[in-house]
């Protein structure tokens, strides 16, 4: 076995064929993704990058880290991100939006007393450059038949104020809108002279952007019991175990009783906290704050 | 559109920064707060008061509301001192499975700081408590030689086969060649249980270096 040593990184041994197969088996069991022999170079190169980044000097050490020092799934997510092509875009993980309009909102509205005129409040956290909250708005307008019967408020937050500024501007490249049907692009975007896509003003005005730090209790205090649904996707994976626990507590407190939180596809609230009830809907598995 | 428009300034509400409440007041609220929300809030705020670990553990034993229990445990994990671990370790002997499971998960997250508590639990006369202790140790034994040694000692001496099998299970995931003598010693002590020999053989095969298989 040769050894690759790069600047400031742990020495990482090159991956033998047997090790590569062992890793691919592990990855398949975790994700269902199979690579096969043709992808050996692709897989090994990214695996070595992750081993270097985590200081693992052998595949065995790296797998031990994944199994025992990664309860929140952070490194597994980094690995998945390295092994797949990830980017933020409109309608990302669309099955959760389908779940929202087909299952979550009908259940929430059915539970409401007729005299309850409070707006339904949805929170995109973190909202990054705005693709998720605008997707929420579009999905409601396009696919939720009851949208005209309820007031809906969409709030979008991120700890990074620079991405919030970009989200407010609502300007996107082709890549971000590539999965949107042409009819949706025609209704909710205009083309700019430099070829980008601008969210129409009406839609931009429908999302309330602002900075927030989920880990800061003083930031979260004014949102207690404020939301019916929180989209908190691919954030907790970046937290350690203690921070994940505290974030789960903060999300619990920000939800109204009976409210829902949607996590990213590789995330599981059950691994973090038993505060929530797991709900299996036809389109997605989500987590619910118990009614009482 | 039924989507509400943002306010003209577009800013989200913000709460004034509140002065930290004294620990004594928070503990009083935790013990006697009228609502679960009040008690949860007090429990979470006590994360800034590491000296409150003992009182938090006492409150955990009294609390029946699951969401408040969860908040207390989160704070004990944040505090993560020997005293916090000690309070949590006591709940491994609880008759309440919810409390037991919360304590096991929390001690796993606290990690090696809980090591001395594990020693105490492994000395329990109740095999179930010793198994729970192994379930905790399972999360971090590979980080420190002394925690690995605790598993070895157990494999060599514990009279209950199920406690040993819990240790075998732990070693099956992150064991190494250095664990093989203790594993073999465990199998030799229980020849009347064929499954023990089988399980040990499987783990030894797994942890053996590649060129020795």
């Amino acid at each position: 076995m040769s050894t690759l040593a790069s600047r400031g990184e742990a020495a990482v041994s090159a991956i033998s064929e047997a090790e590569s197969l062992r890793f691919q088996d592990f990855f398949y069991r975790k994700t269902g993704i199979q690579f096969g022999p043709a992808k050996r170079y692709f897989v090994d190169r990214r695996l070595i990058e992750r081993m270097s980044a985590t200081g693992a000097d052998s595949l065995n050490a790296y797998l031990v880290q994944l199994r025992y020092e990664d309860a929140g799934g952070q490194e597994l997510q980094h690995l998945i991100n390295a092994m797949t092509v990830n980017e933020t875009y409109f309608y990302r993980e669309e099955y959760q939006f389908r779940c929202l309009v087909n299952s979550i909102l009908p259940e929430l509205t059915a539970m409401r007393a007729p005299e309850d005129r409070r707006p339904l409040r949805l929170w995109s956290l973190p909202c990054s450059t705005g693709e998720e909250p605008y997707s929420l708005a579009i999905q409601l307008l396009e696919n939720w038949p009851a949208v005209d019967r309820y007031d809906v408020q969409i709030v979008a937050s991120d700890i990074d104020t620079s991405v919030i500024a970009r989200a407010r501007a609502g300007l996107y490249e082709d890549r971000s809108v590539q999965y949107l049907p042409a009819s949706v692009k025609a209704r909710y975007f205009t083309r700019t002279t430099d070829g980008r896509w601008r969210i129409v003003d009406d839609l931009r005005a429908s999302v309330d952007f602002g900075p927030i730090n989920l880990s800061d209790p003083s930031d979260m205090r004014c949102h207690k019991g404020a939301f019916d649904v929180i989209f908190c996707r691919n954030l907790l994976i970046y937290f350690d175990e203690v921070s994940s626990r505290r974030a789960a507590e903060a999300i619990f407190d920000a939800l109204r009783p009976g409210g829902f939180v949607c996590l990213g596809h590789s995330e599981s609230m059950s691994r973090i906290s038993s505060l929530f009830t797991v709900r299996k809907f036809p389109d997605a598995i989500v987590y619910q704050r118990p009614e009482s | 559109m039924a989507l509400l428009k943002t306010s003209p300034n577009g800013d989200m509400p913000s709460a004034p920064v509140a002065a930290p409440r004294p620990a004594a007041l928070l503990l009083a609220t935790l013990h006697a707060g009228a609502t679960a929300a009040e008690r949860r809030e007090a429990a979470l705020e006590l994360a800034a008061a590491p000296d409150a670990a003992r009182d938090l553990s006492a409150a955990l034993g009294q609390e029946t509301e699951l969401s408040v229990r969860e908040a207390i445990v989160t704070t004990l994990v944040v505090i993560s001192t020997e005293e916090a671990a000690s309070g949590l370790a006591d709940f491994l002997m609880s008759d309440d499975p919810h409390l037991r499971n919360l304590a096991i998960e929390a001690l796993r997250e606290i990690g090696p700081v809980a090591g001395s508590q594990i020693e105490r639990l492994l000395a329990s006369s109740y095999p179930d408590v010793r198994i729970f202790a192994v379930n905790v140790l399972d999360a971090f034994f590979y980080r420190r030689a002394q925690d690995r040694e605790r598993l070895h000692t157990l494999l060599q001496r514990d009279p209950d086969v199920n406690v040993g099998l819990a240790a075998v299970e732990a070693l099956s995931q992150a064991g190494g060649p250095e664990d093989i003598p203790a594993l073999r010693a465990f199998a030799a002590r229980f020849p009347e249980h064929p499954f023990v020999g089988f399980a040990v053989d499987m783990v030894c095969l797994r942890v053996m270096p590649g060129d020795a298989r």
Side-chain angles (χ1 to χ4, degrees):
Chain A
M1 289 173 97
S2 62
T3 297
L4 309 175
S6 55
R7 284 190 304 261
E9 295 174 339
V12 175
S13 300
I15 306 297
S16 70
E17 186 174 353
E19 286 174 324
S20 186
L21 289 173
R22 184 180 169 201
F23 168 75
Q24 288 192 36
D25 178 57
F26 166 85
F27 195 74
Y28 169 72
R29 282 186 281 112
K30 287 285 183 188
T31 66
I33 298 171
Q34 277 183 315
F35 292 107
K39 293 275 191 179
R40 167 91 192 275
Y41 175 75
F42 171 91
V43 170
D44 288 3
R45 194 157 61 88
R46 282 157 181 78
L47 176 58
I48 288 170
E49 282 171 9
R50 290 314 312 158
M51 288 166 62
S52 291
T54 56
D57 59 5
S58 68
L59 177 64
N60 197 50
Y62 184 60
L63 292 179
V64 164
Q65 276 189 35
L66 284 170
R67 285 185 175 125
Y68 286 97
E69 297 177 344
D70 191 39
Q74 297 97 324
E75 177 51 29
L76 180 62
Q77 184 62 43
H78 287 309
L79 178 66
I80 291 169
N81 289 351
M83 293 292 170
T84 56
V85 179
N86 279 306
E87 55 191 0
T88 305
Y89 47 86
F90 282 84
Y91 282 19
R92 183 179 180 187
E93 297 182 51
E94 190 187 0
Y95 62 92
Q96 289 198 330
F97 299 122
R98 285 200 304 272
C99 183
L100 176 73
V101 296
N102 293 336
S103 302
I104 294 175
L105 290 176
E107 181 167 318
L108 285 170
T109 51
M111 286 192 309
R112 287 190 151 212
E115 65 275 14
D116 188 347
R117 303 306 302 165
R118 291 176 303 173
L120 285 160
R121 301 190 80 228
L122 314 184
W123 198 4
S124 169
L125 170 73
C127 66
S128 186
T129 44
E131 287 88 339
E132 180 178 272
Y134 290 132
S135 292
L136 278 170
I138 294 170
Q139 286 277 350
L140 294 183
L141 294 169
E142 291 289 307
N143 299 319
W144 189 37
V147 69
D148 290 328
R149 284 193 271 135
Y150 296 92
D151 287 334
V152 181
Q153 185 174 20
I154 298 173
V155 178
S157 310
D158 204 288
I159 195 170
D160 182 342
T161 51
S162 68
V163 295
I164 291 172
R166 290 171 57 194
R168 281 198 177 110
L171 272 169
Y172 297 97
E173 306 289 339
D174 284 338
R175 178 178 50 79
S176 293
V177 299
Q178 62 184 316
Y179 297 112
L180 291 178
S183 59
V184 167
K185 283 191 278 195
R187 265 195 292 282
Y188 301 104
F189 293 83
T190 55
R191 290 308 291 267
T192 61
T193 52
D194 60 358
R196 290 188 289 173
W197 300 84
R198 182 190 296 279
I199 294 275
V200 296
D201 288 345
D202 223 16
L203 200 66
R204 271 199 304 143
S206 299
V207 179
D208 206 350
F209 289 100
I212 200 159
N213 179 359
L214 178 60
S215 301
D216 185 341
S218 63
D219 265 17
M220 296 297 291
R221 189 170 293 122
C222 59
H223 297 296
K224 286 196 172 176
F227 293 96
D228 295 283
V229 185
I230 298 175
F231 273 69
C232 184
R233 307 192 295 180
N234 306 310
L235 173 67
L236 301 182
I237 49 170
Y238 295 106
F239 290 176
D240 66 8
E241 289 176 349
V242 174
S243 300
S244 295
R245 260 186 179 274
R246 299 181 93 171
E249 301 279 1
I251 289 169
F252 179 90
D253 284 333
L255 284 169
R256 291 172 177 157
F260 293 86
V261 57
C262 303
L263 302 181
H265 69 279
S266 67
E267 298 172 310
S268 166
M269 187 62 87
S270 307
R271 286 201 306 245
I272 300 169
S273 167
S274 58
L275 279 168
F276 298 86
T277 304
V278 180
R279 297 294 307 275
K280 293 178 183 172
F281 290 118
D283 294 304
I285 294 172
V286 300
Y287 302 89
Q288 184 176 29
R289 173 176 171 164
E291 270 290 335
S292 57
Chain B
M1 286 182 186
L3 304 184
L4 294 180
K5 297 292 179 280
T6 57
S7 54
N9 60 11
D11 288 332
M12 296 207 312
S14 60
V17 177
R21 294 188 281 175
L25 176 62
L26 293 171
L27 284 169
T29 306
L30 180 59
H31 284 290
T35 67
E38 287 173 356
R39 300 198 300 282
R40 268 182 60 75
E41 188 170 25
L44 292 170
E45 276 188 61
L46 280 164
D51 292 344
R54 190 184 302 271
D55 292 306
L56 280 160
S57 297
L60 181 59
Q62 303 290 318
E63 182 61 58
T64 55
E65 171 64 38
L66 302 189
S67 67
V68 183
R69 284 182 172 183
E70 197 66 61
I72 294 171
V73 169
T74 293
T75 294
L76 287 168
V77 172
V78 171
I79 289 173
S80 221
T81 57
E82 282 261 4
E83 198 169 36
S86 171
L88 286 164
D90 290 341
F91 290 109
L92 266 62
M93 288 167 266
S94 168
D95 291 331
D96 181 336
H98 181 258
L99 268 181
R100 270 204 316 268
N101 288 334
L102 277 179
I104 290 171
E105 282 306 314
L107 288 167
R108 286 170 62 90
E109 289 176 30
I110 285 177
V113 172
S116 61
Q117 301 306 317
I118 299 304
E119 190 72 41
R120 171 166 72 90
L121 295 165
L122 289 175
S124 167
S125 58
Y126 296 100
D128 282 351
V129 172
R130 301 200 299 278
I131 289 172
F132 296 147
V134 174
N135 293 157
V136 173
L137 206 47
D138 169 275
F140 56 82
F141 75 87
Y142 56 90
R143 292 195 214 164
R144 297 195 310 182
Q146 65 209 78
D147 290 325
R148 185 182 289 271
E149 189 55 38
R150 288 188 169 111
L151 285 182
H152 291 179
T153 303
L154 181 154
L155 286 166
Q156 289 155 356
R157 295 183 194 163
D158 197 288
D160 191 288
V161 67
N162 292 311
V163 178
L165 284 169
V168 173
E169 172 68 20
L171 291 170
S172 75
Q173 295 296 317
E178 67 273 38
D179 301 314
I180 292 175
L183 285 162
R184 292 287 182 213
F186 171 60
R189 289 200 301 125
F190 294 97
E192 71 278 23
H193 294 292
F195 178 71
V196 171
F198 173 76
V200 165
D201 285 345
M202 293 301 292
V203 175
C204 287
L205 194 62
R206 182 178 290 191
V207 303
M208 221 177 271
D211 50 3
R213 283 177 199 160

